[in-house]
Amino acid sequence: MIEIGKLNSLTISKKRDNEVYLDGGELGEIALADKEAPANCEMGDSLQVFVYIDGKNQTIATTLVPKVQVDEVAWLKVVSLSHAGAFMDWGLPKDLLVPFSEQKTKMVEGRFYLVRLFLDENNRIAASMLLDDFIQDEAFYYKDGQAVELIIVDETELGFKAVVDHKYWGVLYKNEIFQPLQRGQKLAGFIKKVRPDQKLDLILSQEKYGQKVDATSGKILAILEKHGGYIGLTDKSPPEMIYDTFAVSKKVFKQAIGGLYKQRRIVIEEKGIRLITNADA
């Protein structure tokens, strides 16, 4: 069954001059909108195409792949405004419409917004800023530790609110985030816990705290050896500098250098840390 607004694998049913038609099953033949068909394509070949309804209410296919498909959330840029609403760049020649009725705030040309794609009553693709109309609070069938795809939505008092697999809301807690996050950022994560109310607590890494400290200790020693036994970072350095170098929080870094100091592997100086060599021992 063909899914409008998504990628489909369709078979070439007819070629006429430079025109290519695909077998759309119950929808009949679907014209390939691309001006040039893929090189050396023949009758019976399968093409991966994105299917949509055009302005003339005709079902059309293209080999171009958009940045986002129907039922997905994405961070897109407004490229123009009109009497119908705002239009966003989503990677296809015809820009994506966000009707005024689907705008949470008045959209501004040149700015980026989080939107979710849907099919309107005429099966035409549109976008909405009203994520709460589509994203659910209660998630089922997930297990603790399961890998998921996350999109960062907003920073909150607890941490960050994120969309899980384009379908559910989840929370990343600030004391478990060891990297900078931005609105609209897409990244991999894990289900930390499915709460009794079926809401999702999230985490970006399954690595235990102790394992993270141990791994950071190894990184510190490796970088010290690479840079002649000295680096200009201490437990008083800004968190941003520490993260840029080791991709961990200041807390993890302090624990790591504290452990190395107790093991007499390093010396902590006023402006940096120095590796203790065999000659120093």
Side-chain angles (χ1 to χ4, degrees):
M1 181 178 177
I2 293 177
E3 294 185 273
I4 304 296
K6 297 188 178 184
L7 291 172
N8 296 262
S9 182
L10 301 183
T11 302
I12 297 175
S13 58
K14 183 170 65 178
K15 290 183 67 177
R16 185 174 59 198
D17 298 328
N18 292 327
E19 296 180 338
V20 173
Y21 294 87
L22 306 168
D23 181 3
E26 295 179 355
L27 298 179
E29 288 186 332
I30 298 176
L32 188 66
D34 305 357
K35 292 182 179 180
E36 295 185 9
N40 302 319
C41 67
E42 299 292 342
M43 293 271 293
D45 289 351
S46 291
L47 299 181
Q48 189 80 357
V49 293
F50 183 78
V51 179
Y52 63 98
I53 306 296
D54 69 6
K56 298 178 181 179
N57 207 33
Q58 295 178 324
T59 305
I60 300 295
T62 177
T63 56
L64 297 176
V65 179
K67 299 175 182 178
V68 58
Q69 301 180 54
V70 164
D71 298 331
E72 293 182 350
V73 175
W75 182 246
L76 301 177
K77 182 180 180 180
V78 173
V79 292
S80 66
L81 304 172
S82 79
H83 66 280
F87 288 91
M88 310 188 87
D89 173 20
W90 63 319
L92 296 185
K94 181 176 173 59
D95 296 325
L96 176 68
L97 173 66
V98 186
F100 288 116
S101 61
E102 299 295 334
Q103 296 182 23
K104 193 172 183 178
T105 59
K106 186 176 180 181
M107 302 180 88
V108 178
E109 185 175 339
R111 291 188 182 177
F112 285 80
Y113 299 88
L114 269 172
V115 295
R116 198 255 196 192
L117 270 63
F118 68 97
L119 295 177
D120 67 14
E121 63 275 7
N122 296 313
N123 266 352
R124 292 181 183 173
I125 303 169
S128 175
M129 292 178 64
L130 309 178
L131 299 187
D132 284 325
D133 289 351
F134 304 96
I135 309 302
Q136 302 176 45
D137 285 315
E138 298 179 359
F140 299 90
Y141 311 114
Y142 282 104
K143 296 181 180 179
D144 294 359
Q146 184 173 339
V148 291
E149 180 182 320
L150 305 178
I151 298 177
I152 303 301
V153 177
D154 281 310
E155 187 170 5
T156 69
E157 292 182 359
L158 295 175
F160 283 87
K161 188 176 184 181
V163 174
V164 180
D165 291 339
H166 301 280
K167 297 178 181 179
Y168 304 103
W169 291 117
V171 176
L172 288 159
Y173 292 95
K174 62 175 63 178
N175 64 335
E176 297 174 329
I177 299 171
F178 307 118
Q179 65 187 75
L181 298 177
Q182 296 181 339
R183 194 165 188 239
Q185 183 177 351
K186 183 184 292 187
L187 68 170
F190 300 88
I191 303 295
K192 178 187 178 185
K193 182 180 180 181
V194 181
R195 290 156 45 184
D197 59 4
Q198 299 302 129
K199 294 183 180 180
L200 301 177
D201 289 343
L202 309 170
I203 196 165
L204 296 179
S205 173
Q206 289 185 303
E207 192 174 31
K208 302 294 185 182
Y209 184 80
Q211 293 174 327
K212 188 176 286 288
V213 172
D214 291 343
T216 303
S217 299
K219 289 181 183 178
I220 291 171
L221 294 174
I223 289 178
L224 282 168
E225 291 174 357
K226 183 178 179 181
H227 290 84
Y230 179 85
I231 54 174
L233 288 173
T234 71
D235 56 1
K236 296 181 175 60
S237 299
E240 296 79 11
M241 291 180 62
I242 292 170
Y243 183 82
D244 287 344
T245 305
F246 297 104
V248 295
S249 68
K250 186 171 183 176
K251 180 180 178 181
V252 171
F253 177 74
K254 289 174 69 173
Q255 290 283 335
I257 63 173
L260 292 172
Y261 175 79
K262 290 178 181 178
Q263 297 168 25
R264 298 184 58 80
R265 304 291 299 278
I266 62 170
V267 174
I268 302 175
E269 301 180 352
E270 182 179 355
K271 295 184 179 180
I273 55 179
R274 190 176 300 278
L275 183 67
I276 295 177
T277 64
N278 292 333
D280 298 325

